[in-house]
Amino acid sequence: QAHRVVSIADRNSSPLLASLKQTLESDEEESLVSLAVVRAAQSDPARLNNAYPAWIASLCDDDELAVKGMFKTEDHDWVIVYSGADRSELARKIREVFETLSSQRSREERSQSEQAFVAGVATVIDPTSSFQVTGLVDGAWRCLEAAQLQGPNAVKTIQVY
């Protein structure tokens, strides 16, 4: 199923923050909300402008992962809001997608635009009523930056409180 992608300026954009607040408030039972930020680092940004690349679809078509929102920043970061997916299973799923992409690239002839992926994931479990969604956003982007330092196909996660 294709999810509607909302274009946002950056991580402080109100549609993203509103989606996170709504997701946190709508979970009745144990509340488990994760935010994943995925960046494709490559030398050819034109290929990055796909409206909905297949690798993004594969991060959303898992029955275990309930996607509550999908966003794309002006810097071409893909931002996905998940409900009910803990950070370890989400990281495992993202790594599987990255490994699939890497093996596809190694089978194809290598192009000039070498593509590497990195991701940051932040999760909150049963947040208090005073929980600020910006903590989730900041955590995901900090993990993304740490993954970039680690290198291609890295995924970093954090649980925020």
Side-chain angles (χ1 to χ4, degrees):
Q1 87 230 31
H3 295 273
R4 189 171 77 90
V5 178
V6 178
S7 293
I8 57 175
D10 57 29
R11 66 188 187 183
N12 299 312
S13 294
S14 54
L16 172 60
L17 301 178
S19 174
L20 285 169
K21 281 181 187 155
Q22 182 182 0
T23 303
L24 285 167
E25 290 165 2
S26 66
D27 278 7
E28 292 90 34
E29 305 157 23
E30 179 189 44
S31 180
L32 176 60
V33 175
S34 294
L35 181 66
V37 186
V38 182
R39 180 175 292 163
Q42 63 181 28
S43 55
D44 177 13
R47 277 183 58 200
L48 203 58
N49 286 326
N50 277 350
Y52 203 85
W55 59 269
I56 283 292
S58 58
L59 288 176
C60 303
D61 66 1
D62 194 311
D63 293 335
E64 308 290 309
L65 305 175
V67 174
K68 298 295 183 179
M70 183 175 293
F71 304 87
K72 187 176 181 189
T73 70
E74 289 175 355
D75 292 334
H76 305 293
D77 291 335
W78 288 88
V79 185
I80 308 168
V81 178
Y82 294 96
S83 176
D86 78 20
R87 64 191 182 119
S88 58
E89 67 182 281
L90 201 47
R92 180 189 51 75
K93 173 69 178 177
I94 293 170
R95 283 187 185 104
E96 281 176 12
V97 170
F98 287 177
E99 285 169 18
T100 302
L101 289 164
S102 291
S103 65
Q104 285 172 353
R105 279 198 320 272
S106 61
R107 283 197 300 272
E108 297 167 4
E109 69 176 307
R110 297 213 174 256
S111 66
Q112 294 285 357
S113 60
E114 187 61 30
Q115 192 166 23
F117 296 87
V118 292
V121 177
T123 299
V124 62
I125 302 171
D126 287 334
T128 63
S129 57
S130 63
F131 179 76
Q132 296 292 310
V133 294
T134 51
L136 202 58
V137 172
D138 293 343
W141 257 270
R142 276 196 318 271
C143 286
L144 178 69
E145 289 159 11
Q148 273 201 289
L149 291 174
Q150 185 176 335
N153 301 334
V155 180
K156 294 288 188 183
T157 70
I158 191 171
Q159 182 171 334
V160 294
Y161 299 93

